[in-house]
Amino acid sequence: MQQFPKAVAYYYKRWHEFEMDLHHHPAMEIMYVIDGKCQIEIDDRVVDMRKGQYIFIQSNVKHRLIIDKNHPCRMLNIEFILHSNKSAHYMSIDQLFQTQPSLQTLFDPHQRYFLLKDDEVVYFTLRHLVLELDHQSANNQLLIDNLMVQLILWIDRNRREYNEQTNNQHMKKALTYIHEHYDTEIRVEILACITHLHPSYLHKIFRRSLGMTINQYITQVRLDKAKMLLINTEIPVTEISNYVGVNTSQYFSNLFKKETALSPSEYREHFREI
DNA sequence: AAGTAAAGCGACATAGTGGC
DNA sequence: GCCACTATGTCGCTTTACTT
């Protein structure tokens, strides 16, 4: 059965010192901070939110709003469900998934929530959607359906761009440097300088992104190059260590055996036979 | 998210030895 | 000469906890 997103609750509210009870509901919820700051307790975590940020909460995820007495907050909330509707004017959620596969992760129930920062377009769409919903009639149903889909698409793009901006740009710079300089000494300090990040913070990003440390990655690149040179060239083993940025052939053999359980010469012989 | 300090430990270089 | 292996000491990577 085809399902379509449908807004079931939408409201502006200015909050003062307040602690909501922990609750959950079948509807998905978007909580947008228009002004001030607040906290959301969700999944045993407390998430800080400030102006321009919004949270996308999956259905049936327990959450509550906390407003500090010194920091009032104005919010725009919208709750929506997926329902079957034969008179729907727009694309079903399945059709959207087919056209825009990244949307599937936005609706993945394992992704409990997304905390995102808006560049005003989400707020713009949200405002117009709520305004049209307030004047709901047969005349504006197409516009409402359209705005609902737009909102979902903007949130999805926002989510993807956010991930790319924070991780990939720094990672891309660091990885490019590693792949172009594996034949020389690569210091974390240099990578930090290139990415304009603190070395400790670069380590964090690296591990989060690739699941390994910077040096583990550098070693892997070097050993991959060494394997290729051993199989496809006649370069002596002692020189190959130099080609891939390992200063001493003794240490290179060590490293190589740890990785492949074969010495470089055994590896060359083994693959030549194959 | 981004930056910092500090501590611990592992990566790495080096030297020495020996087999082929 | 080439390669492998081991022991040892040093340096800086990595993690952690905390702050901005």
Side-chain angles (χ1 to χ4, degrees):
Chain A
M1 190 182 288
Q2 293 210 317
Q3 292 198 302
F4 301 84
K6 182 190 177 188
V8 289
Y10 35 93
Y11 53 90
Y12 287 90
K13 174 142 179 66
R14 180 154 194 91
W15 298 91
H16 297 276
E17 188 181 5
F18 180 70
E19 288 211 14
M20 195 180 271
D21 290 334
L22 206 57
H23 67 288
H24 62 98
H25 38 67
M28 284 164 267
E29 184 167 4
I30 298 163
M31 302 169 85
Y32 192 105
V33 181
I34 300 168
D35 215 355
K37 51 169 128 174
C38 68
Q39 291 182 314
I40 308 286
E41 187 182 325
I42 184 163
D43 267 359
D44 301 325
R45 290 187 62 183
V46 176
V47 179
D48 287 305
M49 286 179 68
R50 56 180 184 276
K51 185 180 174 178
Q53 288 185 309
Y54 63 100
I55 190 165
F56 180 96
I57 304 171
Q58 299 289 1
S59 58
N60 294 314
V61 173
K62 279 187 183 169
H63 62 277
R64 72 184 185 118
L65 175 67
I66 303 165
I67 310 288
D68 185 79
K69 66 175 176 187
N70 298 318
H71 300 102
C73 176
R74 182 163 165 75
M75 298 185 90
L76 175 54
N77 278 35
I78 182 164
E79 294 177 21
F80 68 97
I81 55 167
L82 298 178
H83 81 132
S84 52
N85 177 5
K86 284 177 187 161
S87 63
H89 297 78
Y90 220 69
M91 290 171 88
S92 73
I93 214 75
D94 283 332
Q95 286 172 312
L96 286 169
F97 284 173
Q98 277 171 19
T99 320
Q100 185 78 46
S102 65
L103 273 176
Q104 290 182 41
T105 51
L106 186 66
F107 286 91
D108 179 0
H110 296 104
Q111 306 281 338
R112 313 282 288 171
Y113 66 91
F114 293 102
L115 175 65
L116 296 165
K117 191 174 179 342
D118 184 25
D119 52 10
E120 293 197 346
V121 72
V122 170
Y123 184 43
F124 179 87
T125 313
L126 208 49
R127 265 168 54 209
H128 281 83
L129 175 60
V130 170
L131 201 60
E132 292 302 322
L133 284 165
D134 282 345
H135 299 98
Q136 210 156 173
S137 73
N139 289 335
N140 70 350
Q141 201 52 54
L142 178 60
L143 187 56
I144 287 172
D145 289 347
N146 196 327
L147 283 167
M148 190 74 228
V149 171
Q150 263 196 54
L151 178 66
I152 291 169
L153 289 173
W154 279 120
I155 292 172
D156 181 52
R157 176 180 281 191
N158 206 188
R159 184 181 60 100
R160 282 181 290 122
E161 280 178 355
Y162 181 74
N163 288 341
E164 280 164 18
Q165 272 167 17
T166 49
N167 283 337
N168 290 0
Q169 283 182 8
H170 297 315
M171 284 298 292
K172 208 171 169 184
K173 278 184 190 169
L175 293 179
T176 302
Y177 187 89
I178 291 170
H179 281 266
E180 288 176 350
H181 296 86
Y182 63 84
D183 62 315
T184 63
E185 186 190 10
I186 300 173
R187 304 267 301 271
V188 174
E189 213 174 292
I190 296 167
L191 294 173
C193 193
I194 288 163
T195 52
H196 304 292
L197 294 174
H198 191 274
S200 300
Y201 188 61
L202 182 62
H203 279 123
K204 256 187 222 174
I205 290 178
F206 221 90
R207 189 177 267 297
R208 199 191 307 152
S209 181
L210 297 180
M212 63 177 88
T213 67
I214 296 171
N215 274 320
Q216 280 170 341
Y217 184 80
I218 294 170
T219 302
Q220 190 183 301
V221 170
R222 285 177 167 153
L223 289 177
D224 284 347
K225 297 284 172 189
K227 285 176 191 169
M228 180 267 291
L229 292 174
L230 282 166
I231 296 170
N232 299 328
T233 73
E234 297 299 330
I235 302 167
V237 174
T238 42
E239 276 185 49
I240 285 180
S241 64
N242 191 257
Y243 273 63
V244 298
V246 181
N247 289 345
T248 61
S249 58
Q250 291 92 330
Y251 180 60
F252 172 68
S253 291
N254 250 348
L255 224 51
F256 199 89
K257 195 154 192 177
K258 209 188 280 179
E259 152 93 6
T260 63
L262 295 170
S263 71
S265 50
E266 284 168 347
Y267 185 89
R268 174 172 268 171
E269 216 168 302
H270 179 72
F271 279 92
R272 285 283 162 84
E273 279 171 14
I274 291 171

